[in-house]
Amino acid sequence: MLPGLLRDLEQGRWVALAEGSDRPPAHLLPEGPGVVVSSGGSSGGRRLCLQPLVNLDRSAVATAYWLRACGIDPAAALLVNPLPVHHVSGLMPWWRARCWGAQHLRLEPGLMKTPEALLAARRSWPVGPRLLSLVPTQLKRLLDHPAGLEWLQGFDLIWVGGAALHGDLAERARGAGVPLAPCYGSTETAAMVAALPPQRFLAGETGCGDALPDVQWRLASDGGLELRTPRIALGCWQPEQPDCLQRLTDAAGWWRSGDCARLTPGLQILGRLDTAIHSGGETVFPEQLEQRLQVAVHSVGLSVDAVLLLAIPDPEWGERLVALVKAEDSRVLEAVQRLTQTWPPAERPQRWLLCPDLVQTEAGKLQRQRWRHWLERLDAANA
């Protein structure tokens, strides 16, 4: 795919990387070259972002500046990339390598599930700083395997993004000396806008670090994170509005990310504003509670693959939480439920359901809208 993509870009074309048949009509595309990349978060609402090539260049330049501040020469690096190229997280390692004159190594997704093979393949890699991009799901699988852990320890820096990094995963990586660099970004911003240097991560700092040099940020009155950077996408297109290209920024160039955040120490993402619930007069962020529950589950050694908290209407509370859990059986479900007995009432799920099919996307996210519809169908069938 990459050679053909490069050829099309060099010929000044817009290239659609998004999977599926939906594409913006040609009359909406500005002068190229650029890429059309799918952007769809945990809350659903798939849309296609138009990122001109110059924005990919800007992103690569900002990341190189950040790397040099970490003591790593970008041009000498090997960028190891197991992420899908049709997502911005998998596209940018390749593009960074091109801009920096560095080496890029594409890993097939199946190889990530065989840690021994990863270790064997590493023997032939060139000498120099080794950089890796992962999502939390991949990180967990590797940390769970002795060969996977050894493979991770062979990197100089590992960017982790795309989804929340649970506290238990961070602690396990920190304890093993794995040089994680938790980061934050989006398709709309051509990938990373913030990253935490591994030295600070290993010293115990949480969050996603400071803004990259071409990024400004601020908080809106509701705590929403707003960003200003020259690499915001030109616009977004949705199949539901086929003749419209949505502008992302306001007149002053600010883009509203949709995430609630704190800006000290560094960038701390609290959760999605569109998934926050109001229960008994309290504002609750399900993503934060999912992380807390995963930490508790790990601390007692329960076998749980995934947890998702969804809100349903409640006449007394306004909204209450329902927990979907992918686990072995109902006994595990009951044990997980007991871990929340001391939580505040607004944060404690009122229902617990086994959900064997609960799976994350390849970007490490749970599709909340999909599972919300699943829950609605289940309740309708049992009504």
Side-chain angles (χ1 to χ4, degrees), residues 204-335:
E205 188 172 333
T206 62
C208 300
D210 304 319
L212 267 61
D214 62 342
V215 175
Q216 296 173 275
W217 56 32
R218 68 184 185 187
L219 296 182
S221 59
D222 60 357
L225 178 65
E226 297 182 344
L227 301 166
R228 185 161 64 183
T229 173
R231 48 187 162 101
I232 297 291
L234 296 180
C236 283
W237 179 85
Q238 293 178 289
E240 296 80 8
Q241 299 175 308
D243 294 319
C244 175
L245 194 62
Q246 177 190 357
R247 180 183 172 88
L248 296 179
T249 60
D250 63 17
W254 289 95
W255 172 64
R256 184 172 172 84
S257 71
D259 289 311
C260 187
R262 290 197 308 265
L263 299 182
T264 181
L267 176 62
Q268 307 283 333
I269 300 296
L270 304 180
R272 293 286 302 175
L273 286 166
D274 54 9
T275 59
I277 75 166
H278 303 283
S279 183
E282 300 289 334
T283 300
V284 175
F285 293 98
E287 296 95 335
Q288 283 191 321
L289 301 182
E290 290 161 5
Q291 290 189 50
R292 186 194 305 173
L293 188 54
Q294 290 280 11
V295 170
V297 163
H298 177 73
S299 69
V300 297
L302 290 175
S303 178
V304 172
D305 294 321
V307 175
L308 181 65
L309 302 183
L310 298 174
I312 59 171
D314 183 272
E316 180 181 356
W317 288 75
E319 292 176 291
R320 294 298 301 271
L321 289 171
V322 175
L324 309 186
V325 180
K326 184 177 182 180
E328 296 174 352
D329 54 44
S330 59
R331 290 171 298 178
V332 174
L333 185 68
E334 292 167 1

Side-chain angles (χ1 to χ4, degrees), residues 29-91:
L29 297 176
E31 291 294 322
V35 292
V36 181
V37 196
S38 180
S39 173
S42 59
S43 59
R46 177 178 179 267
R47 58 184 186 173
L48 305 181
C49 288
L50 275 62
Q51 279 290 10
L53 208 59
V54 65
N55 283 7
L56 306 188
D57 291 341
R58 289 166 174 158
S59 180
V61 169
T63 305
Y65 183 94
W66 180 88
L67 270 179
R68 293 189 189 96
C70 294
I72 294 176
D73 177 8
L78 171 68
L79 286 83
V80 179
N81 181 15
L83 300 175
V85 177
H86 60 269
H87 289 302
V88 72
S89 56
L91 174 68

Side-chain angles (χ1 to χ4, degrees), residues 360-376:
Q360 295 172 323
T361 67
E362 57 190 0
K365 297 181 181 181
L366 289 165
Q367 297 173 304
R368 293 181 185 276
Q369 194 63 31
R370 171 189 173 187
W371 294 108
R372 190 175 290 113
H373 290 159
W374 177 87
L375 181 59
E376 290 170 353

Side-chain angles (χ1 to χ4, degrees), residues 147-186:
L149 174 58
E150 183 180 349
W151 187 72
L152 292 171
Q153 290 169 329
F155 285 90
D156 296 88
L157 184 147
I158 302 172
W159 287 298
V160 182
L165 176 63
H166 293 162
D168 62 324
L169 278 184
E171 285 303 315
R172 290 173 61 191
R174 194 175 282 123
V178 176
L180 296 189
C183 57
Y184 175 81
S186 68

